[in-house]
Amino acid sequence: MNAAPPLEKDVVPDPTPPENGLSFVEEIHNLLHASVGNPISSCIQCGTCAATCPVASGGFMEHTPRRIIALIRAGFKEQVLKANTFWYCASCYQCTVRCPRGIDIAELMYGLKRYTVWKTQYQKGLIGPVFSETFVKMILRTGRSYEPILATTYIFTFGLPEMIQEAQNGTALMLKGRLPLLPPRIKRLENFKRMIRRIIPLGDSE
Amino acid sequence: MSQPKRLLIIDDDPDFVAGIKSILVKAKYEVDVAYNPKDGFQALKDKAYDLLLLDVMMGRGAEGIMVARKLGKDPNLRNMPVLIITGIREQMAFLFPGQAVHPHFVSVDELVEKPVEPKLLLDRVQALLIKSAEARKTNSK
Amino acid sequence: MKTYAYFPGCSLEKMAQSYHLSALETTRVLGVELKELEDWNCCGATAYFHVDELLAYTLSARNLAMAEKEKLNLVAPCSGCYKNMYFTREHLLRDPDLAEHINDALAEDNLRFSGSANVQHLLEVFVHEVGLKEIRAKVTNPLKGLRVAPYYGCQILRPRKDHEDIEQPRYFEELVGALGAEPVDYPLRLRCCGGALILTNRVAALSMVRNLLESAVKAGAAVVATACPLCQVNLECYQKQVNKEFGTEFYLPIMYFTQLIGLALGIPPKRLGIGSEFVAVMPAIAEARDADPVPTGK
Ligand code: SF4
Ligand code: SF4
């Protein structure tokens, strides 16, 4: 276990030297090698992102975007990957458009989501990763999204009282004629599936 | 012994790279590493390599597939053997649980799955190098 | 008549059918044809970017390529779809390697992306292509006295698409004004509604919805106008849960901007999909009319 992460206002300690020769911030730069924004090493820790973020300023993120960047640069890999910050990012791009250094912070949040999904290292109990995975699976099968599948997966996976709320809302929408009864699918589905496999060569059996 | 063979690894996982690099160096290969596809292409431009070891999930997504396909179209690099070493089945387990990865949709010479045994790695590397040397011989004849 | 390839997106199929209906009704009156893109696929929403961006680009590129085949520009009523397709086009135009990779995949469906079709949001089509002057001229039932809070939300504006003003935009207000209604200014008009957090972090999203509703109500809004199905659903369908969670008593109608346009153009409410909402719309409209009756005998 690494030492406790720095507090919100204090100075960020020197990066912990990585055992494998590559620092965590370099790893993140590699992850974002195609980003149009500036590298996160150019962050000046001004806090604009944290102040402008509607989720962080509501107190819902364990670490603000600013702090996530500080932690990455200080090499606190485990704390960063286990944080809820990027799973609670609403992709509103407020931080991205306001950052004085032109860092695409929202893209960093996407990147961290990918990174943790690939390594299944995300915080346990979060709904975000399961939701994303279900959604992607659904579209690979039909080409379209279908809300009831999402809601159902969601309830089966979590079964919390707030999910019951979701079911109630779903039923109410059904009664108002606002949810479809059958999942839609695209017509050229076979072509579509082959197209997908040229991007990710998934197994052949259907 | 002749010139040591030059290998390039393109893989974003520093722990994994550290592991296979040490195996390959011990076996007297000369090994360079690029941790993202962009640096990888730069390395391929700067130097000639005898073999590429390529990861799949990097950067934006399955970029290894993009790299392999681009190399396949490049007349200068087309003949360099490519060994894909991927953890994709585990990384994207939710998409195709239990299925083997089929290299059908991208032409590469070999594909092995992570984690890879040192002996298997060395066998595959050697076999590909021999195969490409022979191919070159028949071509020049 | 100007024709667009119309990409309804998954939520308009049913969840936001009233947006779909009102978009078709109003564009017809204004001389714009929305030709539904044949066999369109989901734009990937945000979930795809969490897993594989190349896959996300592929999904959007398929839709773009189909619009190109029709030789039409693409219009999306959903801000999320709009943003995804807009930036897919940008990325592919900037990165030829990426475009080639994706075109290799599109070939499986006999398609090819070249970038010839551009992408617009439905709101932009009304404001920039039809134009406020034209809309004003066609208004038969001005929405006099109706205090409307135009809600931009996020992805119409952000990330910045071109050189437009994303900090102080006015076009939504001007559109509302062109309908004879009264646009109200409220601080949170550009703030996020919580988006998909409504499914993945309920409490955070509900509190964001509450802040928005509160901001609009404080400014004296009688209805909120949205241009995105996700915003509409979050702000309307979850109002009851907001009230439960925070002990508030919001009952604020959330309308699609196309529904407002439709009413001002004299289209019957039913044809605009009005009637399937949780927070009734018509009482607010009637109340405004009663308080400020349109002079008869025009
Ligand atoms: S706004 Fe930009 S420069 Fe400022 S703390 Fe955030 S990322 Fe760093
Ligand atoms: S994009 Fe994410 S991190 Fe940035 S301001 Fe919005 S919610 Fe916060």
Side-chain angles (χ1 to χ4, degrees), chain B residues 52-89:
Chain B
L52 172 65
L53 296 107
L54 180 62
D55 183 23
V56 173
M57 300 306 290
M58 292 181 280
R60 289 169 286 186
E63 291 207 45
I65 304 300
M66 193 167 150
V67 172
R69 199 174 283 153
K70 192 176 166 194
L71 292 179
K73 290 181 184 170
D74 187 325
N76 295 320
L77 296 169
R78 197 168 31 213
N79 294 322
M80 177 184 57
V82 177
L83 171 59
I84 286 200
I85 307 181
T86 177
I88 188 171
R89 186 138 66 113

Side-chain angles (χ1 to χ4, degrees), chain A residues 42-50 66 69 95 98-101 103 105:
Chain A
S42 57
C43 167
I44 49 168
Q45 290 288 299
C46 68
T48 304
C49 50
R66 179 196 69 78
I69 292 177
C95 51
R98 295 244 173 107
C99 172
R101 301 311 299 260
I103 299 168
I105 304 146

Side-chain angles (χ1 to χ4, degrees), chain C residues 16 18 34 73 79 86 121 149 197 229 254 279 284 291:
Chain C
S18 56
L34 299 182
N73 288 332
S79 301
Y86 185 96
H121 190 281
L197 289 187
I254 316 291
V279 180

